[in-house]
Amino acid sequence: MNTFLSRLNTIFAFTLTVLAALTFLCFLSTLFKAHQAPLQLQTKKVLVKNVQDFSVSKEKNDLGFITENIGISDMKGIFNWNVKQLFLYLTAEYSTKNNKFNQVVIWDKIILRGDSAVLHYHGMNTKYYFFDDGLGLKGNKNVSLYLSWNVIPNAGILPLISQENKFYFDFPEEYTVNRAGFDY
């Protein structure tokens, strides 16, 4: 007594159920996989300038310039059949008198499946401006850098992995008045 449309609806619902179950199994098969990679991170040159920020006010703010070395020998171990891409980003954390906790993303990169998963950057400038909303960078002795990455899967959750060890550095006590070898 079933009509053609009810039979078609049953087949469609069964197909969607099977596809949802297979997608869930795909997610479960890579759920407990470690997404770590060996990393070397260091700063080569650190400068701070006092510049006017016209977007917010006419007051001067600190602008940090960092040249860093990033080395990741192999991230291929992170890629499996459930990983589409990786989103890497370098974050600087510091505290000032005005704000106890500041975070600034200064560099990012997307690595697609099939791209080279080996990164060796020497003398790399920051990709984004390292502005402080005041005068908190000059002489700051508690700035840390760490690399994090989001694993973008085909199915499942988006794990956020952070580097285990942070790299600490100090900003100089004096402002830099010229370019000092940096390319903007």
Side-chain angles (χ1 to χ4, degrees):
M1 236 359 186
N2 292 334
T3 64
F4 174 74
L5 289 177
S6 66
R7 289 181 184 176
L8 188 65
N9 184 30
T10 303
I11 290 171
F12 182 69
F14 178 73
T15 304
L16 285 181
T17 304
V18 169
L19 288 175
L22 289 175
T23 303
F24 185 70
L25 290 175
C26 172
F27 158 67
L28 282 181
S29 69
T30 58
L31 179 63
F32 299 107
K33 182 158 176 27
H35 299 288
Q36 295 292 334
L39 171 72
Q40 296 84 32
L41 180 65
Q42 73 181 69
T43 58
K44 286 184 70 174
K45 189 184 280 187
V46 179
L47 302 174
V48 64
K49 292 179 89 173
N50 192 285
V51 296
Q52 191 165 355
D53 183 13
F54 293 102
S55 64
V56 180
S57 67
K58 295 187 180 192
E59 297 178 10
K60 289 195 169 194
N61 295 326
D62 283 353
L63 176 62
F65 293 98
I66 303 171
T67 300
E68 64 262 354
N69 294 341
I70 297 176
I72 302 175
S73 58
D74 191 15
M75 294 190 88
K76 288 184 182 179
I78 296 176
F79 283 95
N80 56 43
W81 57 277
N82 191 27
V83 175
K84 271 197 280 192
Q85 66 184 17
L86 296 176
F87 177 69
L88 285 78
Y89 55 98
L90 185 64
T91 306
E93 286 184 354
Y94 63 100
S95 62
T96 61
K97 293 176 187 174
N98 295 339
N99 300 311
K100 295 292 181 196
F101 183 69
N102 297 289
Q103 274 187 326
V104 179
V105 174
I106 57 176
W107 176 83
D108 65 6
K109 180 171 180 61
I110 295 174
I111 300 176
L112 300 173
R113 183 198 322 247
D115 288 352
S116 175
V118 177
L119 299 177
H120 290 291
Y121 295 115
H122 296 285
M124 178 183 70
N125 293 331
T126 59
K127 188 175 180 180
Y128 305 110
Y129 288 117
F130 190 167
F131 261 113
D132 182 56
D133 62 348
L135 305 175
L137 293 183
K138 182 178 100 171
N140 197 324
K141 303 285 187 210
N142 65 352
V143 182
S144 64
L145 290 178
Y146 65 94
L147 190 71
S148 302
W149 52 88
N150 288 87
V151 179
I152 313 296
N154 292 315
I157 60 172
L158 297 163
L160 170 62
I161 313 299
S162 291
Q163 172 188 348
E164 294 174 3
N165 300 327
K166 294 182 179 183
F167 177 78
Y168 293 93
F169 69 95
D170 303 335
F171 274 107
E173 296 288 336
E174 299 297 324
Y175 288 119
T176 302
V177 293
N178 58 8
R179 286 182 56 158
F182 276 96
D183 295 326
Y184 299 111

